[in-house]
């Protein structure tokens, strides 16, 4: 992705790739902390270490390249310049030629309150994201999404589908952190609760290369919030099998929908945890504060001693 960005002028952080720890550590000597050290391969959203000091950065390089903390995903590392700002997730629907802006949300990557603890796949989200203004959306389309679509086509790989741009909204504008070719989890849950028009026809038009004629996507003005309820031990070693009660009571709330992500129902009829991120308690409300309150009321109605969630989802937008 970083090489593609360089070829097509897509704004992203300066970087270098290494498979050699000595060279990687020498490179740090020329850069300013904090250092962003990433496993090059897929690591379920957990393969990034932000090192505040040279010492931490050296240790991260050793952990990934020598100790194989992320398995074969860490055969190579990418060292990037740290980008100041707030992260946002932006989704565009693409048909190979045309892209339409779909929606934006803000995720919470760290496991614990106050953005502390290990990185996760995402512990909660809200949409819309106040940081993602109309101006930022325009910049993102012009500087990131459309050049990417043109570049993919020019290189013989026209892209059709959902393009998920993980962005840092810096003082100098949006910069690309990563692309995924899917909706985000848990961002998608918030988008689906706000989407008023039918998604399927738009996806069909994308698949058929006819997005230019797509009807306007219609959104509810009400914000939506998702609180991820994860199994104790997540992200390292989530405990499976604990019994979950009360999901129906949460779903009884008018503004709440509980999406299942990692559950199973056993032959005894009991619902049990069967994954890391297990439930997504999603609420809408007239204001973001209302949506947050409803989501946490939904969480309170669920009786699951084997689970935990963050208690500060949407803190940036509320503060
Ligand atoms: N929540 C981030 C992702 O879906 O990759």
């Amino acid at each position: 992705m970083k090489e593609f960005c360089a070829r097509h002028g897509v704004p992203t952080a300066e970087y270098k790739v290494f498979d050699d720890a000595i060279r990687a550590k020498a490179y740090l000597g020329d850069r300013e902390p904090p250092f962003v050290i990433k496993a090059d391969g897929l690591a379920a959203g957990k393969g990034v270490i932000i090192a505040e000091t040279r010492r931490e950065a050296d240790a991260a390089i050793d952990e990934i390249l020598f100790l194989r903390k992320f398995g074969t995903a860490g055969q190579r590392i990418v060292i990037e310049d740290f980008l100041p700002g707030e992260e946002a997730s932006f989704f565009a629907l693409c048909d190979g030629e045309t892209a339409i802006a779909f929606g934006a949300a803000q995720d919470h990557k760290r496991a614990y309150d106050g953005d502390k603890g290990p990185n996760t796949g995402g512990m909660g989200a809200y949409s819309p994201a106040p940081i993602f203004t109309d101006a930022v959306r325009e910049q993102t389309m012009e500087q990131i999404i459309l050049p990417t679509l043109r570049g993919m086509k020019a290189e013989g790989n026209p892209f059709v589908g959902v393009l998920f741009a993980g962005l840092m909204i810096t003082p100098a504008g949006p910069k690309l952190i990563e692309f995924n070719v899917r909706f985000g989890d848990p961002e998608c849950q918030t988008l689906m609760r706000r989407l008023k028009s039918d998604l399927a026809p738009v996806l069909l038009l994308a698949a058929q290369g006819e997005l230019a004629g797509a009807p306007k996507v219609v959104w509810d003005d009400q914000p939506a919030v998702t609180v991820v309820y994860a199994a104790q031990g997540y992200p390292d070693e989530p405990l499976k099998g604990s019994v979950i009660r009360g999901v129906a009571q949460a779903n009884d709330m008018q503004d709440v929908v509980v999406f299942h992500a990692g559950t199973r129902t056993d032959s005894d009829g009991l619902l049990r945890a069967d994954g890391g991120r297990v439930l997504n308690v999603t609420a809408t409300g007239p204001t973001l504060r209302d949506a947050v309150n409803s989501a946490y009321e939904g969480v309170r109605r669920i009786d699951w001693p084997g689970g935990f969630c963050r208690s500060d989802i949407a803190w940036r937008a509320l503060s």
Side-chain angles (χ1 to χ4, degrees), residues 207-231:
Q208 292 170 331
E210 291 171 7
L211 261 189
K216 206 168 156 3
V217 175
V218 183
W219 297 99
D220 193 332
D221 286 339
Q222 296 209 45
V225 175
T226 294
V227 176
V228 170
Y229 217 162

Side-chain angles (χ1 to χ4, degrees), residues 12-310:
T12 187
E14 290 288 315
Y15 79 105
K16 228 165 161 61
V17 181
F18 298 93
D19 57 13
D20 177 296
I22 294 171
R23 291 212 176 99
K25 290 176 188 174
Y27 174 73
L28 295 179
D30 301 333
R31 319 301 299 178
E32 291 294 318
F35 308 102
V36 181
I37 321 263
K38 294 182 170 176
D40 185 38
L42 292 172
K46 297 164 210 157
V48 186
I49 296 164
I50 314 264
E52 300 291 340
T53 63
R54 272 295 296 276
R55 205 187 167 98
E56 281 174 39
D58 286 352
I61 290 169
D62 288 339
E63 278 181 352
I64 301 176
L65 286 178
F66 288 136
L67 303 177
R68 286 291 154 89
K69 181 173 176 163
F70 303 113
T72 52
Q75 277 168 339
R76 295 196 304 178
I77 56 171
V78 180
I79 301 183
E80 292 187 12
D81 285 358
F82 179 83
L83 294 174
E86 278 187 42
E87 279 190 51
S89 305
F90 177 68
F91 304 89
L93 301 183
C94 307
D95 70 357
E97 189 115 20
T98 301
I100 58 174
F102 188 69
Q106 237 174 338
D107 190 13
H108 299 65
K109 302 295 283 181
R110 301 296 191 99
Y112 312 132
D113 283 7
D115 291 333
K116 300 269 183 339
N119 261 319
T120 70
M123 293 301 289
Y126 56 98
S127 172
I131 183 106
F132 206 81
T133 59
D134 290 351
V136 172
R137 188 185 60 234
E138 291 300 310
Q139 282 179 303
T140 304
M141 288 300 289
E142 291 302 318
Q143 296 169 12
I144 296 176
I145 302 295
L146 295 175
T148 296
L149 217 59
R150 285 194 291 268
M152 293 291 285
K153 189 172 173 213
E155 294 190 8
N157 302 304
F159 177 70
V160 177
V162 179
L163 189 57
F164 165 1
L167 303 169
M168 187 65 80
I169 313 303
T170 75
K175 309 241 188 228
L176 185 66
I177 304 172
E178 63 169 11
F179 274 134
N180 289 296
V181 290
R182 55 171 175 78
F183 281 116
D185 177 8
E187 293 95 317
C188 186
Q189 292 84 317
T190 62
L191 293 175
M192 291 304 118
R193 294 301 292 149
R194 291 186 50 237
L195 184 64
K196 286 290 155 218
S197 49
D198 194 348
L199 181 62
V202 195
L203 295 182
L204 183 61
L205 290 171
Q208 292 170 331
E210 291 171 7
L211 261 189
K216 206 168 156 3
V217 175
V218 183
W219 297 99
D220 193 332
D221 286 339
Q222 296 209 45
V225 175
T226 294
V227 176
V228 170
Y229 217 162
Q232 297 283 357
Y234 177 76
D236 295 331
E237 286 184 39
L239 292 173
K240 292 193 180 175
S242 56
V243 175
I244 304 166
R245 293 188 172 86
V247 172
Q249 281 84 338
N251 274 324
D252 279 346
M253 292 173 64
Q254 204 189 347
D255 294 338
V256 171
V257 171
V258 182
F259 292 95
H260 291 237
T263 59
R264 66 169 200 268
T265 305
D266 277 348
S267 51
D268 56 12
L270 292 174
L271 185 71
R272 290 177 195 272
D274 198 25
R277 291 182 295 161
V278 170
L279 296 169
N280 300 275
V281 184
T282 302
T284 49
T287 66
L288 185 62
R289 169 61 70 195
D290 293 322
V292 167
N293 289 345
S294 290
Y296 280 110
E297 174 57 26
V299 166
R300 272 188 291 279
R301 290 181 180 207
I302 296 171
D303 174 14
W304 182 27
F308 77 99
C309 64
R310 281 182 55 160

